[in-house]
Amino acid sequence: MTSELIIDVQPKEISIALLEDKSLVEYQNEPRSASFSVGNIYVAKVRKLMPGLNACFVDVGFEKDAFLHYLDLGSQFNSYEKYLKQVQSDRKKLFPISKATHLPDLAKDGSVQTTLKAGQEIMVQIVKEPISTKGPRLTCELSFAGRYMVLIPFNDKVSVSSKIKKGEERARLKQLVQSIKPKNFGVIVRTSAEGKRVAELDMEMKLLMKRWEDAITKVQKTTERPQVIFEETGRAVALLRDLFNPTYDGIYVNDEEIFGQVKDYVTLIAPEKADIVKRYTGQVPIFDNFNVTKQIKSAFGKTVNYKRGAYLIIEHTEALHVVDVNSGNRIRSENGQEANALEVNLGAADELARQLRLRDMGGIIVVDFIDMNLAEDRQMLYERMCKNMQKDRARHNILPLSKFGLMQITRQRVRPAMDVNVEETCPTCFGKGKIKSSILFTDQLESKIDRLVNKIGIKKFYLHVHPYVAAYINHGLWSIKRKWQIKYGLGVKIVSSQKMAFLQYEFYDRNGDFIDMKEEIETK
């Protein structure tokens, strides 16, 4: 299996697509102004105690206060609390963590009332994004995740990932990490550390230690609260850290700055793979070039077609996600209804596993498969679903089919589910339902070009239009495009973009910045 990561950087948003064997399996889209907050560490104040829930609300600067349960304070909370006071007591000289004393563990059956008070300052880390009406979820057990290990302050234990099965390798890694880790720090060794040399692990240990030192120095020097003391790496790099593996054939980026960040990170963690990071400079939009746009439009939405007429209906509610499997108008199997139901269900299991990763659906997922009478068929479907979900990084649990033919899946929910609206709003009528004659569309475009060149003074630009319109403009030896270039100069460039609706157009200057040339008066 080959994997490719495609990063599309636009002025207002960044989109990341992961392809496995050219098939889209993960997709993230965020405004460039928004930060990915899971992993961020804050010094914040307790806003309100909730004794009934044995929890409290903490102000970390979000619209909704964050939720912190007593059990998420962690066993080392007392040690953290004392160290925080020692750091804040001297603004000039940093109190080293190696000299910090370990206090007794926090009692598991204790109360938030006796441990915290309103207005108290604590160090917290976000473990779950704000979802729907809920604020972020917090923990006081801080951790710094790297490619090969996770560094945990005030925890002397070294743990090795259970996915590393060989006893000799587990013992080697444990002994090696024990010898290089600083005092008063614990380490979780990740699966990707298997077979790595001490130099590689030591380099990452120093990198993670620097992150901790930078964070605690911010605590010492600043008095503003709440205060971010550690921010997770950029979205592209964070995704790479968790996903990167030797099967990657290429990482393609269409932005110079993000390209530099990704190149530096890959050079750091896998120098031999630095050449797979490539800067995309083609005129065709990067997602169109790698067939991502078409896959996004076909994979999102309420109805998802997957195999010879069969389709899924996916509905989202506040409490759970519901999936209905339908055979549609597909040709019936010659082997009868049972074989037909099995074939449709197995195809649905393949597509559903992809959809869960693609949309990042979490919480409870209930799937209504087509009824099957044979127990061996139901078992085969369950095993197929389990096998498909092995590629999923999120923690999940799958139950066999119930007597009603329902499969229940729980999947770790860290962010809101990705939901892309694939329906296109008419860009030419603004929802009024009436437009000028479409045969006059190219005349309208020419008037825009004339204004751009002769009045605004922009001589070189790119005009993005729907592929059908682009084909019409480029058609023939004496094409409309050729006439425009003779009349307005060779700076007129036509770009076919699958993202555009049929009569939609967008102008961009030579630097790729959007030029707004739309006027609502066009529709009257």
Side-chain angles (χ1 to χ4, degrees), residues 145 374 465:
L374 299 178
V465 290

Side-chain angles (χ1 to χ4, degrees), residues 30-230:
E30 290 180 0
R32 293 192 72 174
S33 57
S35 59
F36 183 69
S37 57
V38 167
N40 287 1
I41 300 176
Y42 296 78
V43 176
K45 286 187 177 181
V46 176
R47 169 101 42 152
K48 185 180 180 183
L49 299 178
M50 302 291 289
L53 297 172
N54 202 16
C56 66
F57 287 104
V58 181
D59 176 18
V60 291
F62 281 71
E63 186 180 343
K64 293 271 185 182
D65 284 341
F67 182 80
L68 175 64
H69 194 273
Y70 175 82
L71 294 176
D72 291 323
L73 290 175
S75 58
Q76 305 298 327
F77 178 75
N78 293 327
S79 302
Y80 269 114
E81 196 56 26
K82 183 178 180 183
Y83 183 63
L84 181 61
K85 288 176 183 173
Q86 288 171 325
V87 168
Q88 291 176 325
S89 65
D90 188 347
R91 299 286 179 189
K92 293 182 180 178
K93 188 178 179 184
L94 183 64
F95 187 82
I97 191 173
S98 57
K99 293 184 180 178
T101 53
H102 268 284
L103 295 180
D105 289 359
L106 196 69
K108 290 185 179 179
D109 57 351
S111 164
V112 74
Q113 271 183 302
T114 57
T115 311
L116 298 173
K117 59 180 183 287
Q120 181 175 343
E121 289 189 8
I122 54 176
M123 284 195 288
V124 291
Q125 187 168 30
I126 295 182
V127 292
K128 187 182 283 189
E129 292 269 6
I131 295 175
S132 187
T133 58
K134 300 172 185 174
R137 181 79 183 256
L138 302 177
T139 181
C140 286
E141 294 187 279
L142 309 185
S143 62
F144 296 83
R147 171 90 178 122
Y148 303 126
M149 62 187 82
V150 180
L151 190 69
I152 306 170
F154 288 108
N155 182 340
D156 276 330
K157 191 176 177 185
V158 175
S159 308
V160 180
S161 167
S162 59
K163 291 182 181 177
I164 299 177
K165 303 294 183 186
K166 294 178 183 175
E168 293 175 11
E169 179 64 5
R170 292 177 65 85
R172 181 188 79 89
L173 287 170
K174 197 164 188 176
Q175 185 178 4
L176 194 155
V177 171
Q178 194 79 48
S179 66
I180 63 174
K181 83 172 185 65
K183 187 183 175 186
N184 279 344
F185 282 93
V187 174
I188 298 172
V189 182
R190 303 182 75 173
T191 312
S192 54
E194 189 170 8
K196 298 300 174 189
R197 294 173 289 114
V198 63
E200 294 173 274
L201 299 179
D202 188 48
M203 185 169 67
E204 182 164 277
M205 180 74 75
K206 287 174 181 170
L207 186 70
L208 296 177
M209 272 302 297
K210 181 158 189 327
R211 289 181 188 172
W212 159 259
E213 286 162 6
D214 290 346
I216 208 66
T217 302
K218 271 193 184 178
V219 176
Q220 179 203 19
K221 300 207 172 187
T222 58
T223 54
E224 184 185 343
R225 301 292 182 259
Q227 171 74 39
V228 183
I229 60 171
F230 170 73

Side-chain angles (χ1 to χ4, degrees), residues 332-352:
R332 305 296 176 192
S333 171
E334 295 177 359
N335 299 324
Q337 173 59 29
E338 189 69 20
N340 185 68
L342 177 62
E343 187 181 349
V344 171
N345 284 341
L346 291 177
D350 296 341
E351 180 61 27
L352 179 60

Side-chain angles (χ1 to χ4, degrees), residues 329-384:
N329 57 359
R330 71 193 303 280
I331 299 170
R332 305 296 176 192
S333 171
E334 295 177 359
N335 299 324
Q337 173 59 29
E338 189 69 20
N340 185 68
L342 177 62
E343 187 181 349
V344 171
N345 284 341
L346 291 177
D350 296 341
E351 180 61 27
L352 179 60
R354 172 177 171 248
Q355 287 289 330
L356 294 183
R357 287 177 69 189
L358 187 57
R359 302 183 186 218
D360 208 2
M361 291 159 59
I364 300 171
I365 300 108
V366 178
V367 191
D368 181 12
F369 285 102
I370 296 173
D371 290 340
M372 296 183 294
N373 296 321
L374 299 178
E376 55 264 36
D377 287 352
R378 294 195 292 271
Q379 181 63 24
M380 187 188 299
L381 176 60
Y382 171 67
E383 290 173 359
R384 179 75 156 261

Side-chain angles (χ1 to χ4, degrees), residues 32 253-264 279:
R32 293 192 72 174
V253 192
N254 66 346
D255 179 82
E256 191 64 46
E257 182 187 347
I258 304 295
F259 167 75
Q261 291 177 16
V262 173
K263 182 92 171 176
D264 291 345
R279 172 89 162 87

Side-chain angles (χ1 to χ4, degrees), residues 244 251 259 262-268 270-278:
F244 187 83
I251 301 170
F259 167 75
V262 173
K263 182 92 171 176
D264 291 345
Y265 184 73
V266 174
T267 304
L268 178 67
E272 72 283 0
K273 283 284 181 180
D275 291 341
I276 67 171
V277 184
K278 294 165 186 171

Side-chain angles (χ1 to χ4, degrees), residues 239-470:
L239 192 66
L240 256 185
R241 186 189 67 206
D242 295 332
L243 290 179
F244 187 83
N245 64 63
T247 65
Y248 271 27
D249 275 356
I251 301 170
Y252 301 91
V253 192
N254 66 346
D255 179 82
E256 191 64 46
E257 182 187 347
I258 304 295
F259 167 75
Q261 291 177 16
V262 173
K263 182 92 171 176
D264 291 345
Y265 184 73
V266 174
T267 304
L268 178 67
I269 65 170
E272 72 283 0
K273 283 284 181 180
D275 291 341
I276 67 171
V277 184
K278 294 165 186 171
R279 172 89 162 87
Y280 177 79
T281 55
Q283 281 193 7
V284 177
I286 187 169
F287 272 10
D288 289 8
N289 186 67
F290 290 95
N291 197 33
V292 174
T293 308
K294 191 173 181 181
Q295 291 193 63
I296 289 171
K297 294 200 173 191
S298 63
F300 285 92
K302 181 178 174 181
T303 304
V304 179
N305 297 298
Y306 65 90
K307 197 175 183 183
R308 288 192 283 178
Y311 60 96
L312 305 177
I313 301 288
I314 302 175
E315 296 271 15
H316 307 286
T317 72
E318 182 70 21
L320 46 77
H321 306 279
V322 184
V323 182
D324 186 33
V325 179
N326 293 278
S327 59
N329 57 359
R330 71 193 303 280
I331 299 170
R332 305 296 176 192
S333 171
E334 295 177 359
N335 299 324
Q337 173 59 29
E338 189 69 20
N340 185 68
L342 177 62
E343 187 181 349
V344 171
N345 284 341
L346 291 177
D350 296 341
E351 180 61 27
L352 179 60
R354 172 177 171 248
Q355 287 289 330
L356 294 183
R357 287 177 69 189
L358 187 57
R359 302 183 186 218
D360 208 2
M361 291 159 59
I364 300 171
I365 300 108
V366 178
V367 191
D368 181 12
F369 285 102
I370 296 173
D371 290 340
M372 296 183 294
N373 296 321
L374 299 178
E376 55 264 36
D377 287 352
R378 294 195 292 271
Q379 181 63 24
M380 187 188 299
L381 176 60
Y382 171 67
E383 290 173 359
R384 179 75 156 261
M385 195 71 212
C386 291
K387 182 182 176 183
N388 290 339
M389 292 290 285
Q390 285 175 358
K391 299 175 188 174
D392 199 333
R393 292 175 297 119
R395 290 195 304 272
H396 58 270
N397 190 24
I398 306 170
L399 296 181
L401 289 168
S402 70
K403 62 181 179 181
F404 297 123
L406 302 177
M407 180 179 285
Q408 298 168 71
I409 302 171
T410 60
R411 187 175 181 273
Q412 180 188 18
R413 179 159 65 175
V414 175
R415 293 183 299 279
M418 172 63 64
D419 195 15
V420 178
N421 184 11
V422 294
E423 294 178 350
E424 296 175 349
T425 303
C426 177
T428 53
C429 76
F430 298 92
K432 291 184 171 65
K434 291 184 179 180
I435 62 171
K436 284 184 176 180
S437 175
S438 55
I439 199 67
L440 301 177
F441 181 58
T442 52
D443 295 343
Q444 182 182 319
L445 289 179
E446 184 173 355
S447 70
K448 298 290 180 187
I449 293 170
D450 180 48
R451 184 170 165 229
L452 202 60
V453 173
N454 297 322
K455 291 187 179 178
I456 300 177
I458 298 176
K459 306 288 186 185
K460 185 173 181 180
F461 56 86
Y462 298 93
L463 171 58
H464 289 228
V465 290
H466 188 276
Y468 289 178
V469 176

